[in-house]
Amino acid sequence: MYTGSLVLKSLSVVDKWKERRNQGQGPLFDSIKTILQEVPSWILPSASNILFWRNLVVAPLTEELVFRACMIPLLLCGGFKVYAVILLCPVFFSLAHLNHMMEIYNRHRYSLLKASMVIGRQLGYTVIFGSYASFLFIRTGHLVSPLVAHMFCNYMGLPVIFVRRKGLVTLAFVAGTVTFLGLLFPITQPNMYNERTNNCRCWQGSCSWD
């Protein structure tokens, strides 16, 4: 899903290298060395930023513990069907992000309508991601996979689908999406991640996908 975004970031690095080369700053090896030396200057400000820790560590960990590790087993053991859980949990997960509306409204000075539109798009995205994270948790029986996916998605933001004059980005997005859908079930087979699913009535019922 993020192939287009990754290609766009790669093209940005290539453009920087071309710019340095046009400025006569040495061959390819020297340009790569210079770019790598700048990496700490990108990382250190983020490490001291409280929003960085909130968005990439605290929020993913707490949200996955509540909305996946705690909520999903209760719903499954309560008799809810797997597909119902995958659709229901993301709704609660999405509603938990309504607090961002006041943040956007006050910080960015948006009108109430514009803030509502921004939050509406974010809520729609969180429903889609929440369904995927719930799917991962139920299929694998582990919290690690949805947690890593959550951190990665928070870091990347919304996937880049189209960039003007860069058809390669759109092509990469389409190819990545097709590959993602094709591998979704094969690489999340429960027996690849959890050998003890048959010891629990709830996990056995959900992982069999009958």
Side-chain angles (χ1 to χ4, degrees), residues 15-153:
D15 290 340
K16 285 185 178 181
W17 169 70
K18 288 182 179 179
E19 182 180 351
R20 292 177 185 275
R21 188 176 181 182
N22 293 334
Q23 293 175 354
Q25 295 187 10
L28 174 62
F29 178 78
D30 292 339
S31 298
I32 295 176
K33 183 179 178 181
T34 302
I35 292 175
L36 291 176
Q37 288 175 344
E38 293 177 356
V39 171
S41 64
W42 303 337
I43 297 176
L44 291 177
S46 298
S48 59
N49 188 343
I50 190 170
L51 292 179
F52 171 86
W53 291 100
R54 186 195 73 173
N55 294 335
L56 299 184
V57 179
V58 177
L61 183 59
T62 55
E63 289 173 359
E64 293 305 317
L65 284 172
V66 172
F67 294 102
R68 250 64 72 179
C70 294
M71 187 175 292
I72 289 179
L74 287 174
L75 292 175
L76 289 175
C77 292
F80 283 83
K81 299 295 183 182
V82 174
Y83 296 102
V85 172
I86 290 179
L87 294 175
L88 184 60
C89 275
V91 174
F92 296 119
F93 173 63
S94 178
L95 292 176
H97 291 77
L98 281 175
N99 63 296
H100 292 300
M101 183 168 180
M102 293 306 300
E103 179 181 350
I104 293 175
Y105 179 73
N106 293 325
R107 178 178 297 179
H108 298 285
R109 305 291 182 181
Y110 285 176
S111 65
L112 188 59
L113 177 61
K114 189 174 182 180
S116 301
M117 293 175 62
V118 172
I119 289 299
R121 185 179 66 171
Q122 183 181 6
L123 294 183
Y125 175 67
T126 54
V127 167
I128 296 173
F129 172 78
S131 298
Y132 174 61
S134 300
F135 171 87
L136 286 178
F137 181 71
I138 293 174
R139 284 282 285 180
T140 64
H142 286 279
L143 190 64
V144 174
S145 50
L147 179 60
V148 172
H150 198 150
M151 291 177 175
F152 180 75
C153 289

Side-chain angles (χ1 to χ4, degrees), residues 161-205:
I161 300 176
F162 172 77
V163 178
R164 186 172 297 178
R165 295 194 300 274
K166 283 187 171 63
L168 180 61
V169 173
T170 302
L171 181 63
F173 172 79
V174 173
T177 302
V178 171
T179 305
F180 170 79
L181 294 175
L183 296 176
L184 185 60
F185 276 89
I187 65 174
T188 58
Q189 295 182 32
N191 56 7
M192 294 175 59
Y193 303 91
N194 195 340
E195 297 177 354
R196 304 175 62 183
T197 54
N198 290 331
N199 295 334
C200 175
R201 176 176 58 84
C202 299
W203 283 122
Q204 181 183 11

